[in-house]
Amino acid sequence: MVQARVAAAEAGFADRAGDIIALARLSTGPGAVGAILDWLAGRTGGTVALLGTDGEVVTVPSGRHRPSPRALTTAATAVADMHRRGTPSAVLGDESCTIDLVRLGSEAPYLMVTGSEDRRHGVLLADVSRLLGLCWRVEEAEQTRQRVASAMAHSREAVLHLLMIGSVPTARRIAATLRHRLPDLCRVYIVACPAGRRDLVADRIEHFARGRAWIVPCPVYPHHLIALVPPGRDHSATRLDRVIAERVPESRVGAGEELPLRETAIGYEQAFHALAVARGVPGGYARFDRHTDLTPLIDPRGHAWATGFLAPCLSYTPARRADPGAEELLATLNSWLIFETGASRHLKIHRNTLTARLHLLDGLLGVDLTHVSDQSAAWLALRLHSAHHASTTPPRPATLDGLLGTPAASVWARSQLHPLERADLPNGLETVRAWLRADTRLPATAAALAISAPATRKRLTRIEQVLGRSLLHAPSAKHELWLAMRILGSL
C-alpha cells in the first residue's frame, strides 16, 4: 500500500515536472499567452479563456477550445463580482459543468477553465497561472512599448512635415515636448537601404551626431531614411555619408548643404538629387554639387508676382469647416510639387482626397498642375513667396517672362544646361527638351524621340549622372530645367 502511494506520488511529481518544462518552453516563444492557453486546453481536456476584470473576454482560443457562450456569461458575471471583492480564485457550477477562475495578478485578467478532466487540475492551474500572468504582463509591456514608439515616430514625422512646409516655430515646440532641441543649421541626409538595415543606419547616425540628429523613416519611399544632422565634426576624414556607406555597403547616401532650418525642404531636394548621383558612383555616397539658387537672381518684383500668383489660395476660405483651408492647400501644393503622386502618403490622405485638392488648386490658381509648365511656375512662386523680402515700395506688375529676363537669370540657366553641352552625350539636350515638352511622360517622350521607352529611360538615367540631379523620381529637377530652357528660349 505504501509502495503504491510512493509510486503514485513519484508519478505525480514527474507529471508536474513535465508540465513545468513544457510551460517554460512555451513561455519563451512568440505569442506565449495564446500558446499556453492552447496547451492548457489540450492538457485538461476542457476549454479556456482570459477574462478582464470587468468580465469582458480578453483572449480566447478558436475552435473546440473556446468556452460556450453560456459558460462565458456565467464567468463574466462572477469575475466582475470577484474583482470588486478582491477574490483571487473561485470554482463555479456543479458536477456536470465546473468553471475554475484564477486571477493572474493585480489588475491582470482572470484565467477561466471549464470541463477539466485532470483530477490534479488545482496544482496545474496554480503553476499555469503564475507563468501565464508573467507572460501576459510581458506582452502588455511590449504592446505599450510599441504604442509609445509609434507615437514617437508619428511625432517625429509631424515635425519633419512642419519643417518641410516652413512652420519652424510649431516644429520647435513639438520637438521640445520630445526633449529635443532643433538646431538653427542642419544638413539633410537621405539614406536608401533595405528596411532591415534601417535600425543599424539610424544607430550610426545617432552615434555620429551624438544624439542630436532628427531621424525619420521617409513616409513616401519605404526604403529611405531621412536625417537632419546639425553642424559638427563632419570633416573629410569622418564624413557621415562615408561612414554609413562603409558600414552598410548596400546603402546609398545623398547629402545636401548646411542650410537654415526654415530651408529644410530645399535641403531635402538637394539630398535627393545627391542620392540620384550616389547610385552611380563608387562608394555609394554623394553630396549636392552647389548650383546657385534662381530666386535671388530674378527681377526684384518676384515676391509681388509670387504673392499675386498664390493670392487666390492664400485668401481662400472653405465653405465647410471640414474642407481644407489656405494653409492646408499650400501644404498640398508644396507636397505635390516635391513628391507628385507620393504626396498622398506624405500628407497621410487618401489619393482621392489629393485629387480633389489638386482640382481645387487648379481652379483657384487658373493652372493645370499636371503640366510641367504650370508646375514650374507654381514651384517658383512658392520659392519666392517663402524667401525673405525687404522691399517696402509697391512694385510694378510683372509677368513670369519679365521676371526671368534678367542677365543673372540667363547666366543661371546656361549653368544648369552646361554639363549636358560639355558631356559626351550627343542627344542630351534634345532628350531633356522632348521629356519636358511631353510633361515628363516616358511613352510620349519616347515617341517624340522615335526610340523605345527603355532606351529613353536609359538616356535620362545617364543625364541624371551628368547633371547630378534626379529626373525619374520625385523630387525631380524638372522645374529648374524647364525654367532654364524657358529663360534661354529652348522650349
Side-chain angles (χ1 to χ4, degrees), residues 2 30 53 57 78 99 112 117 138 175 237 242 267 332 335 358 365 489:
V2 174
T53 54
V57 176
I99 302 176
M112 168 189 176
E117 300 173 358
V138 168
R242 180 177 298 170
T332 301
S335 184
L358 292 175
L365 301 177

Side-chain angles (χ1 to χ4, degrees), residues 257 259 263 266 270 287-293 296 469:
E257 298 179 303
L259 295 172
E263 297 181 8
I266 297 175
Q270 291 180 350
R287 286 198 172 178
F288 182 74
D289 185 13
R290 176 64 179 171
H291 280 214
T292 304
D293 187 18
R469 298 290 187 275

Side-chain angles (χ1 to χ4, degrees), residues 19 22-52 56-67 72 100-104 109-114 116 124-125 127-137 139:
D19 291 341
L23 288 169
R25 186 181 299 113
L26 292 172
S27 67
T28 60
V33 170
I36 291 175
L37 289 178
D38 285 337
W39 177 88
L40 179 61
R43 176 70 175 79
T44 61
T47 60
V48 299
L50 287 185
L51 302 181
E56 291 293 323
V57 176
V58 175
T59 304
V60 61
S62 59
R64 64 185 181 87
H65 294 158
R66 181 186 181 93
L72 285 172
D100 289 275
L101 297 172
V102 181
R103 188 171 63 185
L104 300 183
Y110 284 74
L111 171 62
M112 168 189 176
V113 180
T114 65
S116 174
L124 178 63
L125 292 185
D127 292 335
V128 169
S129 61
R130 295 189 190 97
L131 196 55
L132 189 59
L134 178 60
C135 292
W136 181 83
R137 286 190 288 273
E139 289 190 3

Side-chain angles (χ1 to χ4, degrees), residues 401-424:
D401 286 332
L403 295 178
L404 301 177
T406 65
S410 296
V411 173
W412 173 86
R414 284 192 292 272
S415 72
Q416 298 298 304
L417 301 176
H418 181 63
L420 287 177
E421 296 172 349
R422 69 182 183 184
D424 185 17

